[in-house]
Amino acid sequence: MAKNDTGVYQLPNKNWGFRYVLMVNGERKEARKTKDEFGAPFKTKREAIKARQTAIEAEQNSRRPKPTVRKTVAEVYQEYCEKGRSGKAYNTIRKQESLWVNHLCAAFGKRYIDEISAAEVVDYLTELYYNRGLSYRYVESFLKMFYLIFGQAYSRNYLAVDSYNKLCANKDTKIHMPKLKTDDDIDIVAFSREELVILDDYFRGTNAETAYMLGRFCGLRINECFGLKWENVDVERGTILIDRQMQYQDGLIKLVPLKTHNARRTIYMCDKLKVYFQELARRRSEDEIQFAALREQNRRQIEDLGGKQTFSTELVNCLPNGKIQTVNSMKYPTREIKARFHIDFKYHHLRHTYGTLMAEMNTPTHLLCNQMGHGNIQVTQRYYIAVSKSGVNILQGNLNML
């Protein structure tokens, strides 16, 4: 059995149960259960494992002192800002501040944290999604904020264990997203083979070609693409190390750490990209000589990891004359592709396309997960169930062979 399977067992009727023995303040606590608090059986091992963990935590917290101090949501959030979000990414902090200042403060700031029910939070999320017309993904950010605030309150003992479990732990009562609209599309968007031919031809020879190639054949996020330095490209081995990203912070261009640990990865180039980069490196060497004075004049000094300074000429996406390229460099191609070819081009859709095509070619999931820089393999698995045009063609071909 795996480590977290301890105490979980299967019943003769194929349902599941769990048992545990604990010592709490010198007292022996023993329990054995085959049903949840509502009398429903545990139909899967996963349900039993989670229920056991919840039961053990509840038992351990049974002697937890009851909250004696009441705090408003605003006070809890302020305490989190002061003590709980050290090390958070710059963009994460900005997003939290935006959600709080523009929405949550007015709606919940003056309320006591212990008087808010799961139902009114769900009602609020439903109002945002259905009535105010905010996108599903954006409303998910509000849900995460509520979990964050309730978790902060619980950790500081401003929220009783039973209240916290009802809000954040119990699957039948906890806060959740409203039902997805039937006409809402949050699926993976991948370009068809025909569209890729058009895009390949459009970007060939343009200033944005390198960025396009990195999205097309590596699935890079746009910030990773424009934050890539030549020192992280091995043109002989055909590898690219992704260890930083470009961001605008307070109006300044900076190279900053990646958002997650898993985003740091080594990407392997296909032969076509490898040849492209070898030629790009050769041209760069020539440019350093031919445009030396111009590059010296146009190059920009930008902040790198750890507060160090680097020049724009060290970036892969730098023009021959030394001028820097940024995430904004894709705005013009996006507008022109829409006008000329009626293709809704978004750089991130190149990443979706890369993942979908690699999945269609039966790339092992764990390898694709690594190349995409996903922290959760379930995110990667979405590409294996995405329905692209080429996937439909394969399906129809198989159907015709029945």
Side-chain angles (χ1 to χ4, degrees), residues 6 65 92 123 128 135 155 184 207 209 217 285 293 337 356 362:
T6 303
T92 299
D123 289 344
L128 295 177
S135 73
S155 70
D184 221 344
N207 289 338
E209 182 178 14
F217 294 108
S285 298
I337 290 169
T356 302
N362 297 316

Side-chain angles (χ1 to χ4, degrees), residues 37-75:
E37 58 185 297
F38 300 101
F42 304 120
K43 295 185 178 180
T44 67
K45 177 193 277 189
R46 185 175 180 181
E47 287 182 4
I49 291 173
K50 190 170 181 180
R52 182 176 184 272
Q53 292 171 340
T54 302
I56 290 175
E57 290 172 3
E59 193 68 66
Q60 291 173 333
N61 287 321
S62 61
R63 296 181 182 270
R64 173 188 174 107
K66 294 188 179 299
T68 56
V69 177
R70 296 189 79 193
K71 294 278 188 176
T72 64
V73 176
E75 290 173 324

Side-chain angles (χ1 to χ4, degrees), residues 184-249:
D184 221 344
D185 183 10
I186 59 170
D187 292 333
I188 290 169
V189 178
F191 297 117
S192 67
R193 302 275 184 177
E194 295 78 9
E195 288 173 330
L196 286 175
V197 170
I198 295 172
L199 294 175
D200 288 348
D201 183 64
Y202 170 80
F203 280 101
R204 190 176 295 113
T206 67
N207 289 338
E209 182 178 14
T210 300
Y212 171 74
M213 295 287 282
L214 287 168
R216 169 90 153 83
F217 294 108
C218 296
L220 295 192
R221 301 174 177 93
I222 190 168
N223 286 351
E224 295 172 344
C225 168
F226 286 97
L228 181 63
K229 298 179 69 175
W230 273 107
E231 66 183 44
N232 286 359
V233 179
D234 189 329
V235 294
E236 298 303 321
R237 293 179 54 207
T239 60
I240 298 173
L241 172 64
I242 304 299
D243 67 349
R244 69 198 75 195
Q245 60 178 332
M246 178 185 286
Q247 279 187 0
Y248 280 94
Q249 294 189 359

Side-chain angles (χ1 to χ4, degrees), residues 118-132:
E120 63 181 306
V121 173
V122 174
D123 289 344
Y124 177 71
L125 298 177
T126 302
E127 165 72 15
L128 295 177
Y129 181 50
Y130 281 102
N131 297 337
R132 298 194 197 177

Side-chain angles (χ1 to χ4, degrees), residues 18 50 62 109 124 163 171 184 207 241 279 304 330 348:
F18 69 83
K50 190 170 181 180
S62 61
Y124 177 71
S163 298
K171 67 176 184 179
D184 221 344
N207 289 338
L241 172 64
E279 173 60 18
D304 203 346
M330 296 305 297
H348 200 72

